[in-house]
Amino acid sequence: MAIRPVRMACAAVLGAALAAVPLRAGWTSDVQAKLGRGGYLVNTILACGNCHTPKGPDGRPLAGLELAGGGLSFEFPFYSGTASNITPDRETGIGTWSDEEIKRAITEGVRPNHGRLAGVALAPMMWVNFYKALTPSDLDAVVAYLRSRPAVRSEIPLPVYRREMPRERYPDAEKGFTEADMTNPVTRGAYLATIGHCMECHTPAVDGRTLYERALGQGGKQYSPKMVKGYPPDWPGSVARNIGSDASAGIGSWTDLEIKRAITKGISRDGRALYPPMAFYWYAGLSNEDLNALVAWLRTVAPKE
């Protein structure tokens, strides 16, 4: 049975997310703008809740447990674990971490030298090789927003690391982005696709190496219920499709509106439901400007069959 993707109107997604930010007397407009930007990133393109927020049987995130951990669990030969609590709870979350420690975790995958797993690297499913592209102002905004979240006590089992897994470099993240890049729709789209780690799934791998340099966007990565747990019980798994600009194998013949509908509503060009791990629920909150930028960049991904 096909799973209907979780959908929510853009205004509802952002309204629920930003309503949780306590606007305190004395806060400057700059602080409020930073929290707004951080909330937008966390609850749209970064889709942090896709892994870090537990879901009900219908696949919807559970209210009151946003970012409290337990959203998805992973089982791979090299690693078993569950997405952690990233609320400011001091015992089970990241409440004792400094801003710099949170930034290092996001962009370098390094835990602080205190706590239950002091100094142990974060799992490969924390896509720091993409998140390192976050601009300094966006990284500051994300940290500020995480600080503003309600603390939720939720103890997540410790992960099991069976062997070291080196992180693969993603070319656009290594090159980096500037604030000036955001004025060009194509580079803005490249930035969003990078921090959204789109090509982690949509690029094939051979012998454990993802072919970013020669098969970007070609698709083919597979995810099964044995590998990823936390989606509805009837989730059959998925295979990432080709999203290059080839007219037949990719999405080159799709209209802009069809691409946007696929991203935000999980509906393919022919009306079929698409499957997780695409985070449709969160992408529904993307602004039209950002969606236009993503489409503009996708049009530049070289066609590959």
Side-chain angles (χ1 to χ4, degrees):
M1 181 179 70
I3 296 170
R4 293 186 178 275
V6 178
R7 301 171 192 162
M8 182 175 283
C10 171
V13 173
L14 290 181
L18 300 183
V21 179
L23 299 180
R24 300 172 185 167
W27 272 4
T28 66
S29 59
D30 287 347
V31 170
Q32 293 186 23
K34 180 185 288 188
L35 288 172
R37 176 63 176 170
Y40 174 76
L41 292 169
V42 167
N43 293 293
T44 61
I45 193 63
L46 292 174
C48 301
N50 193 29
C51 288
H52 290 279
T53 298
K55 304 171 183 65
D58 61 355
R60 289 183 180 273
L62 296 176
L65 293 176
E66 291 86 354
L67 306 180
L72 292 180
S73 297
F74 304 91
E75 182 65 48
F76 295 100
F78 57 89
Y79 166 82
S80 297
T82 300
S84 59
N85 182 343
I86 56 172
T87 75
D89 184 72
R90 295 183 63 83
E91 294 183 4
T92 64
I94 59 172
T96 61
W97 297 22
S98 69
D99 287 2
E100 290 305 313
E101 287 170 340
I102 297 173
K103 291 178 184 179
R104 285 195 71 198
I106 293 172
T107 61
E108 299 178 35
V110 177
R111 283 189 177 89
N113 287 318
H114 56 82
R116 296 188 300 166
L117 287 173
V120 175
L122 293 172
M125 279 61 69
M126 181 65 177
W127 306 117
V128 301
N129 45 329
F130 293 86
Y131 301 149
K132 68 183 297 183
L134 282 160
T135 63
S137 63
D138 276 353
L139 185 57
D140 284 343
V142 167
V143 172
Y145 177 74
L146 292 176
R147 291 280 192 216
S148 77
R149 300 295 303 151
V152 179
R153 180 174 177 78
S154 177
E155 189 160 354
I156 304 300
L158 294 177
V160 175
Y161 295 87
R162 299 186 181 94
R163 68 173 186 268
E164 185 177 356
M165 284 295 294
R167 295 186 184 275
E168 298 180 285
R169 295 185 174 188
Y170 183 66
D172 277 356
E174 295 300 316
K175 182 177 65 176
F177 296 85
T178 67
E179 299 292 345
D181 288 332
M182 303 304 124
T183 62
N184 180 295
V186 172
T187 52
R188 183 188 186 94
Y191 174 69
L192 292 166
T194 299
I195 64 175
H197 54 278
C198 303
M199 292 303 173
E200 166 57 33
C201 290
H202 287 284
T203 301
V206 174
D207 296 329
R209 187 174 69 86
T210 306
L211 308 178
Y212 297 125
E213 300 284 1
R214 62 184 178 90
L216 187 72
Q218 191 172 332
K221 288 240 180 100
Q222 299 185 34
Y223 298 89
S224 73
K226 290 183 178 180
M227 296 164 57
V228 185
K229 300 185 185 304
Y231 293 122
D234 52 357
W235 177 60
S238 64
V239 180
R241 67 158 295 142
N242 186 324
I243 57 172
S245 55
D246 184 86
S248 56
I251 58 173
S253 62
W254 293 32
T255 67
D256 289 3
L257 288 177
E258 287 170 340
I259 297 172
K260 291 179 185 180
R261 185 177 71 164
I263 293 171
T264 62
K265 296 184 178 180
I267 301 175
S268 185
R269 188 186 195 191
D270 60 6
R272 289 181 299 110
L274 300 173
Y275 294 104
M278 275 284 285
F280 314 111
Y281 178 96
W282 288 269
Y283 300 154
L286 283 164
S287 70
N288 198 51
E289 181 182 19
D290 282 346
L291 284 169
N292 286 339
L294 281 166
V295 171
W297 179 73
L298 284 168
R299 299 290 190 204
T300 71
V301 177
K304 294 183 175 65
E305 298 180 359

